[in-house]
Amino acid sequence: MKVFCGRANPTTGSVEWLEEDENYDYHQEIARSCYADMLHDKDRNVKYYQGIRAAVSRVKERGEKAIVLDIGTGTGLLSMMAVTAGADFCYAIEVFTPMAIAAEKIVEKNGFSDKIKVINKHSTEVTVGPDGDMQCRANILITELFDTELIGEGALPSYEHAHKYLVQEGCEAVPHRARVYAQLVESKRMWSWNKLFPVHVQAEDDEKIIVFPSEIENCPGVPSVYDIQLNQVPRSDFAILSDVVTMFSVDFSKQVNSSSTYYTVNLEPIKSGMAQVILSWWDVDMDPSGMIKCTMAPYWVQPTSNDVQWRDHWMQCVYFLPNEEPVLQGENVYLTAYRDEYSVWYKLQKARNEEDKKDAYVGSPLCSCQAHLLWNRPRFGELNDQNRTNQYIQALMTVLEKDSICLCISDGSLLPLLAQYLGAEQVFTVENSAVSHCLMEKIFKANHVEDKIKIIEKRPELLTASDLEDKKVSVLIGEPFFTTSLLPWHNLYFLYARTAVAAHLTDDVTVLPQSASLYMMVVEFKDLWRIRSPCGTCEGFDVHIMDDMIKNSLNFRESKEAEPHPLWEYPCKSLSDPQEVMTFDFRLTVPQQTLGTDGSVNLLRTGKSHGAVLWMEYHLTADISVSTGLVQISDEKGNCKWNPHCKQAVYFFSSALEPETPTDLPSAITYAINFNPKTGKIAMSFKPLS
């Protein structure tokens, strides 16, 4: 049996559906899962264990048998904790088949098969009764159904169903309750992830400004939360406008209602400013008294920020208000959190009138301007980066002539506007999709250049001479940015597009960027290594079977490849110098032969070589370059500063992720990297040298 899987194809710039082995999806999901990350979360594990012990004790003190329902059991860890704490029996539900199989094996290996039954179903399909999956209703409900937004994985409908059909009234619940918190802030940096700012273009004679249509300015954006490692955002990047407030809480020991609703709180700003963003997080009480607490609060909220637990499976939330709103210190405002079954969104009001009270529920925000559909949040940040734009302006000024015929190939780029403002005779731009065509048309219109820039909604290989008005292109430009790209080298689609339009270029065509280099550096991560590190034992339970399963999936075909991560959120230190390993010349067409390189990098600092980071640097001209990766190594310790608008590629070294560290650290890392021009893929291997 075969399955179809969507994957980015760097040679076509699109996501393609390919036939894969039936196990492909399973292996991908297991390999990229957060199971290891959760099991490395000591704070989470200890608090769950404490809460479970306390819940079992309360049931036993009432003279009852402790029957546990564990929804989303994963490895079976929480079920094993419950039985160890004295539970009489546990029903462990896991919908993901490979994980359910692993849980059964883990439960058996740890000697709990007689007291734990793993049920491979969605909890809403579980039956109760003499012939059912469960013999009787449970009186202890244990769950780990939460994501960064708390409710995004369907926790509320699952709880609602469990209380109706699977657990006794008045059951104990671990966690017992959850609270969602919010804080109002002003942040130019975060606001730049959601709205477009005017772009200043300093030409030789005067300054021009690129403006954006009002519908982009007034668009509420997309409903999805932006979940990030808020602990990596410096305090200088935002101004706190309000105290932390509790928006809503959920008591998991009682019937839960998943219906759409809203919660309004009165806020009194502690500082005047422009309300733009809601920062949010949650905590859970593992027991009714609230003595056992697990919190996602960021560093500036926790009294001892040195003890902030690192975790990647639960982060913090950034929500954008529909529009920025000035607030005054001490002036009452009302903040409303709306939620449906799976998501949360916010609205701020200066005053509440009777009409607001009668009809206060507002549906989730929907993008009406199309910009939020084409560009993700980091792309908004990139387009708002005036320093980056200035590099492109400088480069364009050195290559453009008054008779330049320009063709731009990128997804929704501002380069055609820059080229037009900087004096090109004619500008064409290729847009692959109707969405990008429509959006760019609006932007060009807002800047009164719709008659001066021609949009061609075609794939580059389908371009005809008449599309270009029978003119030859003298300057080919691109950022390069393509919405389907996941890894840094996927944007090499620019090279394939450049090859496809070769017949329409002049013999002495100028290509900007003229080339791109692939860079690599060996690093030690402060925390990110945990997501791929084996656990061995967790709170005294043997979970080697899960480690082996993940390792097997990582080794399944190309699952063991570099993976994209936004490294500005994940501190690391460089152990080697950055090394240029491969260069792609955009002035030439796609090479016919495989490009290969091998060598070694010396390790200059002591530390654990967790992996290699790879990124692209685009050489716009001979002396102007734009990096998608390393911005600088900021100090002698090797701490790195990364481009915040791009994801870098991380290739984890499996040997360095083992819990038992070898005593002899390698002195160098050898590498072999190959680029296959037929597939656009880059294959790599690394080996430590003692």
Side-chain angles (χ1 to χ4, degrees), residues 151-178:
I151 65 172
E153 289 183 2
L156 297 180
S158 297
Y159 271 112
E160 187 172 35
H161 178 272
H163 277 289
K164 280 181 183 172
Y165 302 106
L166 305 179
V167 297
Q168 297 173 15
E169 192 175 342
C171 72
E172 299 290 343
V174 183
H176 180 80
R177 74 176 68 84

Side-chain angles (χ1 to χ4, degrees), residues 292-346:
I292 309 165
K293 194 182 292 294
C294 187
T295 182
M296 307 308 120
Y299 65 88
W300 65 89
V301 177
Q302 299 199 43
T304 51
S305 56
N306 290 338
D307 300 331
V308 173
Q309 167 74 39
W310 184 86
R311 40 175 75 99
D312 203 45
H313 55 108
W314 296 328
M315 293 186 273
Q316 293 81 33
C317 304
V318 175
Y319 295 97
F320 305 100
L321 290 171
N323 293 97
E324 56 184 355
E325 191 89 41
V327 294
L328 296 172
Q329 183 178 344
E331 174 193 60
N332 272 351
V333 291
Y334 296 90
L335 181 65
T336 303
Y338 304 89
R339 70 149 183 83
D340 55 23
E341 287 184 336
Y342 298 100
S343 56
V344 180
W345 57 99
Y346 285 86

Side-chain angles (χ1 to χ4, degrees), residues 8-12 489-490 492-493 495-496 518 558 582-584 590-597 672-684:
N9 184 337
T11 69
T12 63
W489 45 89
H490 287 173
L492 286 175
Y493 171 60
L495 178 58
Y496 292 88
L518 178 66
E558 71 272 83
M582 201 172 275
T583 297
F584 304 88
V590 173
Q592 297 299 304
Q593 305 298 320
T594 297
L595 299 181
T597 181
I673 297 175
N674 290 293
F675 170 71
N676 183 341
K678 287 183 180 152
T679 62
K681 288 181 181 174
I682 289 183
M684 59 194 76

Side-chain angles (χ1 to χ4, degrees), residues 485-554:
S485 299
L486 297 173
L487 291 161
W489 45 89
H490 287 173
N491 284 321
L492 286 175
Y493 171 60
F494 183 75
L495 178 58
Y496 292 88
R498 176 259 180 272
T499 304
V501 301
H504 305 293
L505 310 179
T506 59
D507 293 339
D508 60 346
V509 65
T510 299
V511 184
L512 184 156
Q514 62 182 31
S515 63
S517 296
L518 178 66
Y519 277 83
M520 178 199 78
M521 186 169 72
V522 178
V523 303
E524 175 183 56
F525 287 107
K526 185 182 175 189
D527 294 298
L528 187 63
W529 61 271
R530 298 175 199 275
I531 69 171
R532 297 286 168 261
S533 178
C535 297
T537 58
C538 183
E539 300 308 310
F541 301 100
D542 186 340
V543 292
H544 277 96
I545 288 166
M546 189 215 65
D547 292 337
D548 295 340
M549 182 177 75
I550 291 176
K551 192 173 183 180
N552 177 47
S553 287
L554 284 168

Side-chain angles (χ1 to χ4, degrees), residues 119-244:
I119 302 168
N120 181 204
K121 283 186 176 182
H122 195 284
S123 65
T124 56
E125 297 168 348
V126 170
T127 56
V128 179
D131 300 321
D133 300 307
M134 297 169 63
Q135 291 292 295
C136 62
R137 289 186 176 228
N139 55 9
I140 299 176
L141 175 58
I142 300 172
T143 59
E144 210 285 53
L145 298 170
F146 314 119
D147 67 350
T148 294
E149 204 171 14
L150 184 72
I151 65 172
E153 289 183 2
L156 297 180
S158 297
Y159 271 112
E160 187 172 35
H161 178 272
H163 277 289
K164 280 181 183 172
Y165 302 106
L166 305 179
V167 297
Q168 297 173 15
E169 192 175 342
C171 72
E172 299 290 343
V174 183
H176 180 80
R177 74 176 68 84
R179 278 173 297 264
V180 172
Y181 299 93
Q183 189 166 34
L184 185 64
V185 303
E186 174 181 353
S187 172
K188 185 178 180 184
R189 180 183 177 187
M190 294 186 215
W191 196 236
S192 78
W193 298 334
N194 187 53
K195 301 284 182 181
L196 289 171
F197 305 155
V199 178
H200 296 265
V201 184
Q202 187 65 57
E204 284 181 1
D205 47 352
D206 64 342
E207 183 184 70
K208 294 180 178 174
I209 297 175
I210 297 174
V211 296
F212 296 96
S214 58
E215 64 184 288
I216 294 180
E217 176 61 33
N218 298 327
C219 179
V222 285
S224 57
V225 65
Y226 194 18
D227 51 339
I228 65 169
Q229 293 282 1
L230 212 44
N231 288 316
Q232 295 308 314
V233 178
R235 271 293 286 110
S236 55
D237 275 2
F238 60 98
I240 290 172
L241 302 182
S242 80
D243 290 327
V244 177

